[in-house]
Amino acid sequence: MVNRKRLDPTESTAALFGAKLRKLRDEAGLSQAQLAEAIGYSNDTISKVETAAQAPSPQLAEHIDAHFGTGDTFQELQPLAAKEGIPTFFRPYADLESGANSIRVYEPVVVTGLLQIEEYARAVLSPGQHVNTIDLAVDARMNRQRVLERKEPPWVVIVMLESVIRKEVGDREITKAQLARVLELSNEPYINILVVPDGAQVFPAAGFTLFTLDDDPEIAFVESAGGTGRVIEPAPRVAELRRLWDLIVGSALTDVASQNLIREVMEGL
């Protein structure tokens, strides 16, 4: 009890979620370990959620409500808490990503977030992040990947430059593990990962994503300087980006050749 982190529920929704959970747990006379065992989670998860170091998952919120008989209280807070590790400018992207039927990503800098392992994400996100927010930012990125676990996941095509897979991020072991994850996901029937080889026609340095939602026209998200970006609604500019996308894909290796190149780079680390 002496080393307990003080909680300010007004700081954020994640902090409010954690404060409410701690209060209920204390009133029930349960330790974090006892609650974790009762609802089927690790002690570490309960601790991090209570201190807002980790965003709660939808499943955890549901189990907490069921255990304490709190109706939908925690389930209603969960989506807001989960978004807080995502920068404000990027939240429209995350919303589009979570509801899209198809996602087409052009990535010229690093392995895209949907494919990142935790260690790689931490290395990418750490520069410029306050030490108190990095855990929440990494967790939010990992939560985004749940879209790939849906019963009917979106069709995903990711095109990245060869320089992306050759770039060492974190250290060699992290980069090697990341490339292994990319290869693993490339075997999923709904994911295509293509590499544009060095020496191909030069394309814009900024990445972009094209989303399809149901039968609606495509919507684009274009990355900008400083890690920011903006959504582009259906307009001639989206059609221009689709034409650019087609040109980029036309310069990429086939999926099999891309896998072979990724494997070659990974084995050479």
Side-chain angles (χ1 to χ4, degrees), residues 16 67 95 103 126 134 138 151 155 170 200 258:
L16 177 62
H67 182 80
D95 289 339
I103 303 171
S126 289
I134 183 61
V138 171
K151 185 176 180 180
W155 178 52
S258 295

Side-chain angles (χ1 to χ4, degrees), residues 72-237:
D72 295 331
T73 299
F74 288 93
Q75 293 171 78
E76 290 172 351
L77 289 174
Q78 187 276 331
L80 298 175
K83 279 187 176 181
E84 288 178 338
I86 301 173
T88 302
F89 79 87
F90 198 74
R91 291 177 186 177
Y93 182 105
D95 289 339
L96 289 169
E97 186 179 66
S98 66
N101 293 328
S102 69
I103 303 171
R104 296 175 175 85
V105 182
Y106 167 57
E107 179 51 72
V109 181
V110 295
V111 172
T112 193
L114 271 184
L115 307 181
Q116 289 178 7
I117 61 173
E118 183 173 341
E119 296 81 3
Y120 188 97
R122 187 173 297 276
V124 169
L125 293 170
S126 289
Q129 282 276 3
H130 192 282
V131 66
N132 292 334
T133 63
I134 183 61
D135 285 342
L136 196 58
V138 171
D139 191 63
R141 178 154 297 187
M142 296 298 100
N143 280 335
R144 282 174 46 208
Q145 297 178 7
R146 288 198 175 97
V147 69
L148 301 179
E149 301 170 4
R150 289 188 337 211
K151 185 176 180 180
E152 295 184 6
W155 178 52
V156 179
V157 182
I158 295 169
V159 182
M160 48 192 172
L161 301 183
E162 182 175 341
S163 57
V164 170
I165 64 173
R166 293 191 179 280
K167 180 183 298 184
E168 186 174 305
V169 175
D171 57 38
R172 286 187 179 181
E173 290 306 311
I174 289 174
T175 305
K176 190 171 185 177
Q178 177 61 74
L179 294 179
R181 176 61 173 164
V182 170
L183 284 173
E184 177 187 357
L185 288 171
S186 70
N187 289 318
E188 295 289 347
Y190 55 90
I191 299 177
N192 289 91
I193 299 173
L194 308 177
V195 177
V196 177
D198 290 341
Q201 184 179 347
V202 177
F203 295 103
F208 63 89
T209 303
L210 297 168
F211 298 98
T212 302
L213 293 85
D214 297 323
D215 296 324
D216 296 336
E218 283 186 315
I219 297 175
F221 183 92
V222 179
E223 297 176 12
S224 304
T228 61
R230 69 188 189 280
V231 171
I232 299 177
E233 294 289 346
R237 179 57 177 150

